[in-house]
Amino acid sequence: MKKISLNQMKGNQKGIILEISGGLGLQNKFMSMGIYKGREITKISHIGLRGPVAIKVGRSVLVLGHGVANKIVIEIHD
Amino acid sequence: MVGNPNVGKSVVFSRLTGVQVISSNYAGTTVEIMRGALKLGDQEIEVIDLPGTYSLEPSSKAEEVVVSLLNEPAKEEIAVINIVDSTNLERNLYLTLQLLEAGLPVIVCLNMCDEAKHHGVSIEIDKLEKLLGVAVVPTCAITGSGIKTLVEKIKDVKSKPREKPSHRDRWQAIGLIIEQAQRLTHRHHSLREVLEDASVRPFSGALIAIGLMLASFQIVRFIGEGLISRIADPIFLNFYQPLLVKLSSILGEESFLHHLLIGDLINSRIDFKQSLGLLTTAPYIEFAMVLPYIIAFYFVLGLLEDIGILPRLAMLLDNLLHHIGLHGFAIIPVLLGLGCNVPGILATRNLESRRERFIAATLISIGVPCVALQAMIFGLLGKFSGFYVSGVYLVLLVVWVVLGVILNHTVKGYSPELLVEIPPYRLPALSTLGKKLFLRIKGFIIEAAPLVLLGVLVINVLLYFKLFDLFTGLFAPVVNGIFGLPKESVVALVMGLFRKDVAVGMLMPLALSVKQLFIAAVLLAVSFPCAATFFVFFKELGLKDLLKAALIMCLVALVTGTLLNFAIR
């Protein structure tokens, strides 16, 4: 078990959302799109070092900017 | 009609009301409230299509609209048609449950049923109805199947209030519903999924995007030029001109009416590009120079929209756009702005903060030439080497980037980050593509034609009575002194406030050198946008921001014009 940010995950890696920081507005938006504590996600890719991240949540593909992706902590199995 | 973004609300709306609206394959196509009427027995009810939203806690201007509109009327007087994407039931149910919790009368429309089948998703309608407590109707709005049942069931709509749980418990409840009502059959990866995957990875994604953009540009030019040389020009020269020649000889070259309708004869012949008459140059500019490119541009844009390319571009360009205070999604208003600045500025409603909206709208009105202006630039500079046409784009790009970086460092406020859903690639339905193209062309003709005629009329009268001389004299020092343009081109720059295409048209009889044409074209692009853009800017961002933007436009025009005049030999 390891705790890393969504940005640090590798492509095609699976993990469980452990923590989400950020304001209430962002939390609500995440929540309504299905990003919440305990949810399993798969990272698809990221663009460049400080670029956006693409993830798969359920049946949707979502893209998150680097800054917001940093607010999500993921638990992964080694 | 309420639902998540990109579930096909607008397509269902068109089916219900017969009102044609633009629909595409990306979140946030609809930014305005659309209203239409539906006949139910002998009753007529109003149908309202709302922008897509993920929840009843709004996070953008477009989403705010939904919530305030739902709270407005008494609950007994409305029925909420909740459009749900059946390929992604789980995520969509979050909003559905919120609607039910709010005590609204709801009917669920399970849209895109055919596509769900392809994805191996099957939903048990009876079970879902029981679990939600309201009617569920499967539809496929593109083909129209299920719409009749939906209409029949609207009158039975009822509210089924649920207790309001915490947000997380709501997801848990959804999990239970999904477990009971949805079956997934595993399917092998299709070619489409491989492509979808490649399009959001850095290297392959960039390759696909660059290839597509280059191809799009080539296709637009190919179709545009083809329509001009094979259809528009032959019609004007072979059929229309002989009629005008007759009219010209009836009116007599010296009469006022001749000046107004036909304009000046060039080498005692009618010249569509230079005569400047209401019946000659005005229709020629709109129908033979601009309309072909409008058709070509919107055909290609429609394809890109419906396949689902735009959100992927947003992801790839996110990094770059951060440097100018925007995030990736801003590329969508910019691309729409390349067609016409007005829908481009309207689409900035999808951006979350006011700062972003101001930066995006200002950059669109300054650095993004609409297709009417581009068509005229092709027409004007195309006969010289290709360098000049690409030069205009290059200068605009530089202006765009420099101004964006400056605005990013000076405009106060915050810019939120990209958070957007990537839709699956879809094969565009010919019916929606065709309808969309038709709507956009119709919109162009209705809006442009009267303004073009009015513009040419006003200018013609002013020229005839030599009322411009005073005016041109006043601006001559700037226009002639630092932009290096003849003082008559003031008329064109002023005309730019009306419509850009006619403004470029006014330059044609002036016999400018290629350098002067180049500078004038750039100036027309970066200076004040046309009246329609001004108006929508004012409506969307208010007087204060409009004045700020106008000041920026003056400065940009002054600096760019001067630099170009002294830099080019």
Side-chain angles (χ1 to χ4, degrees):
Chain A
M1 299 290 217
K2 231 166 68 177
K3 275 165 67 174
I4 55 173
S5 95
L6 180 55
N7 279 318
Q8 293 166 305
M9 283 175 89
K10 293 189 189 75
N12 297 327
Q13 199 170 26
K14 269 191 178 125
I16 300 213
I17 298 176
L18 200 63
E19 247 172 77
I20 300 173
S21 54
L24 193 66
L26 185 66
Q27 297 261 9
N28 277 339
K29 175 119 203 223
F30 274 150
M31 182 60 81
S32 66
M33 294 174 108
I35 302 176
Y36 55 92
K37 260 189 237 178
R39 179 80 200 225
E40 189 189 63
I41 59 132
T42 309
K43 175 157 168 180
I44 302 173
S45 63
H46 58 248
I47 308 287
L49 275 178
R50 300 189 56 80
V53 176
I55 61 172
K56 200 165 162 79
V57 185
R59 300 183 61 84
S60 342
V61 175
L62 299 174
V63 167
L64 295 77
H66 183 83
V68 279
N70 239 352
K71 297 190 162 122
I72 301 179
V73 180
I74 308 283
E75 185 180 62
I76 52 159
H77 298 274
D78 302 281
Chain B
M1 300 187 18
V2 182
N4 282 181
N6 206 32
V7 298
K9 286 179 295 300
S10 298
V11 189
V12 177
F13 176 76
S14 289
R15 286 278 171 196
L16 287 178
T17 61
V19 176
Q20 303 298 348
V21 287
I22 287 177
S23 47
S24 312
N25 181 18
Y26 67 87
T29 309
T30 308
V31 288
E32 286 180 291
I33 298 171
M34 301 298 300
R35 290 166 196 266
L38 165 68
K39 260 225 152 38
L40 210 63
D42 46 340
Q43 226 183 339
E44 192 166 275
I45 53 174
E46 187 181 26
V47 184
I48 307 176
D49 182 23
L50 295 173
T53 180
Y54 287 106
S55 77
L56 295 183
E57 291 120 14
S59 64
S60 73
K61 174 111 179 139
E63 292 186 354
E64 266 167 38
V65 169
V66 179
V67 178
S68 63
L69 213 119
L70 278 176
N71 290 330
E72 202 175 277
K75 288 190 174 111
E76 307 77 52
E77 284 172 22
I78 57 167
V80 175
I81 306 176
N82 175 211
I83 317 285
V84 161
D85 170 2
S86 28
T87 64
N88 203 341
L89 185 61
E90 184 181 14
R91 199 210 56 221
N92 281 250
L93 282 180
Y94 189 82
L95 179 64
T96 309
L97 291 196
Q98 280 194 325
L99 289 168
L100 291 171
E101 288 157 18
L104 292 160
V106 175
I107 179 170
V108 174
C109 165
L110 216 50
N111 200 22
M112 306 202 215
C113 266
D114 51 337
E115 198 179 313
K117 224 174 275 166
H118 278 289
H119 285 278
V121 179
S122 71
I123 297 165
E124 289 179 50
I125 308 291
D126 303 351
K127 259 195 192 144
L128 190 58
E129 277 188 333
K130 214 174 276 166
L131 290 163
L132 293 174
V134 295
V136 176
V137 183
T139 61
C140 172
I142 295 246
T143 62
S145 79
I147 297 293
K148 224 175 135 194
T149 324
L150 180 67
V151 173
E152 281 163 9
K153 288 199 173 173
I154 286 178
K155 53 181 182 294
D156 308 330
V157 67
K158 57 185 176 195
S159 57
K160 175 79 183 173
R162 299 171 71 99
E163 218 175 293
K164 204 168 181 168
S166 76
H167 292 317
R168 267 196 74 179
D169 290 348
R170 192 177 294 132
W171 278 116
Q172 220 148 33
I174 292 168
L176 290 175
I177 297 175
I178 291 294
E179 229 167 75
Q180 296 177 61
Q182 178 179 281
R183 299 266 167 283
L184 295 179
T185 23
H186 183 73
R187 304 185 80 103
H188 286 287
H189 273 263
S190 61
L191 173 66
R192 195 192 59 199
E193 279 159 51
V194 173
L195 278 176
E196 277 173 10
D197 214 46
S199 69
V200 292
R201 289 181 194 280
F203 185 65
S204 49
L207 269 184
I208 294 175
I210 292 170
L212 274 171
M213 288 300 109
L214 288 178
S216 299
F217 190 78
Q218 290 302 329
I219 295 171
V220 169
R221 282 210 74 170
F222 177 77
I223 298 179
E225 274 166 18
L227 288 174
I228 290 175
S229 63
R230 280 164 204 277
I231 298 177
D233 268 350
I235 290 178
F236 267 86
L237 295 176
N238 301 337
F239 295 100
Y240 190 49
Q241 192 160 14
L243 294 176
L244 289 177
V245 170
K246 274 191 198 126
L247 183 66
S248 167
S249 61
I250 295 171
L251 290 172
E253 208 191 323
E254 295 307 315
S255 70
F256 177 61
L257 216 52
H258 187 279
H259 176 78
L260 224 50
L261 297 178
I262 309 281
D264 303 324
L265 297 184
I266 311 292
N267 301 330
S268 46
R269 293 187 51 184
I270 292 172
D271 185 324
F272 280 119
K273 285 189 178 174
Q274 298 185 29
S275 290
L276 279 188
L278 275 179
L279 295 178
T280 52
T281 306
Y284 186 78
I285 286 178
E286 284 322 290
F287 295 111
M289 294 183 80
V290 175
L291 186 62
Y293 277 106
I294 295 270
I295 296 172
F297 176 84
Y298 280 122
F299 170 70
V300 173
L301 180 70
L303 271 180
L304 296 177
E305 283 177 334
D306 286 9
I307 295 173
I309 310 279
L310 304 191
R312 294 175 163 81
L313 283 180
M315 179 187 185
L316 294 166
L317 292 172
D318 186 48
N319 246 348
L320 293 175
L321 288 172
H322 269 291
H323 293 290
I324 57 168
L326 299 170
H327 64 58
F329 194 86
I331 193 63
I332 295 181
V334 167
L335 283 178
L336 294 178
L338 280 173
C340 168
N341 281 188
V342 172
I345 290 177
L346 279 178
T348 63
R349 285 187 191 175
N350 281 311
L351 301 174
E352 294 88 343
S353 82
R354 201 177 164 80
R355 169 187 139 99
E356 274 180 300
R357 291 197 68 200
F358 175 73
I359 295 180
T362 306
L363 287 178
I364 288 171
S365 35
I366 292 177
V368 178
C370 66
V371 74
L373 178 57
Q374 295 178 65
M376 293 304 287
I377 291 174
F378 289 158
L380 206 63
L381 288 169
K383 57 177 182 270
F384 305 102
S385 80
F387 168 78
Y388 289 100
V389 173
S390 14
V392 174
Y393 284 98
L394 190 69
V395 171
L396 289 180
L397 185 68
V398 171
V399 168
W400 207 77
V401 171
V402 171
L403 182 63
V405 171
I406 294 175
L407 287 177
N408 185 26
H409 284 283
T410 51
V411 179
K412 288 199 190 74
Y414 83 108
S415 281
E417 296 236 358
L418 181 66
L419 181 51
V420 71
E421 193 176 349
I422 305 283
Y425 276 142
R426 296 199 162 103
L427 210 59
L430 276 181
S431 58
T432 40
L433 258 186
K435 254 185 233 156
K436 186 152 69 168
L437 184 60
F438 173 74
L439 273 179
R440 283 168 160 165
I441 291 169
K442 197 174 102 183
F444 164 77
I445 292 175
I446 290 174
E447 270 162 40
L451 272 179
V452 166
L453 287 176
L454 185 69
V456 172
L457 178 71
V458 169
I459 297 252
N460 257 344
V461 171
L462 292 180
L463 284 178
Y464 190 78
F465 295 109
K466 307 217 184 314
L467 291 174
F468 256 117
D469 295 359
L470 185 84
F471 199 56
T472 47
L474 205 64
F475 286 94
V478 178
V479 172
N480 193 294
I482 64 178
F483 296 155
L485 298 174
K487 64 181 196 316
E488 291 78 22
S489 52
V490 173
V491 180
L493 292 175
V494 171
M495 187 64 210
L497 286 169
F498 256 110
R499 279 204 59 91
K500 298 287 178 186
D501 38 19
V502 184
V504 180
M506 310 293 304
L507 295 172
M508 291 187 295
L510 294 183
L512 300 182
S513 72
V514 64
K515 172 188 166 181
Q516 288 173 320
L517 281 175
F518 181 78
I519 293 177
V522 171
L523 276 178
L524 274 172
V526 299
S527 65
F528 293 114
C530 68
T533 310
F534 255 122
F535 183 66
V536 76
F537 199 115
F538 167 69
K539 240 177 47 188
E540 293 296 303
L541 288 145
L543 186 63
K544 215 176 125 197
D545 277 358
L546 175 65
L547 292 178
K548 263 195 263 175
L551 185 70
I552 295 171
M553 289 163 198
C554 291
L555 287 174
V556 170
L558 213 56
V559 172
T560 319
T562 316
L563 282 179
L564 286 179
N565 184 28
F566 291 104
I568 308 174
R569 281 176 187 281

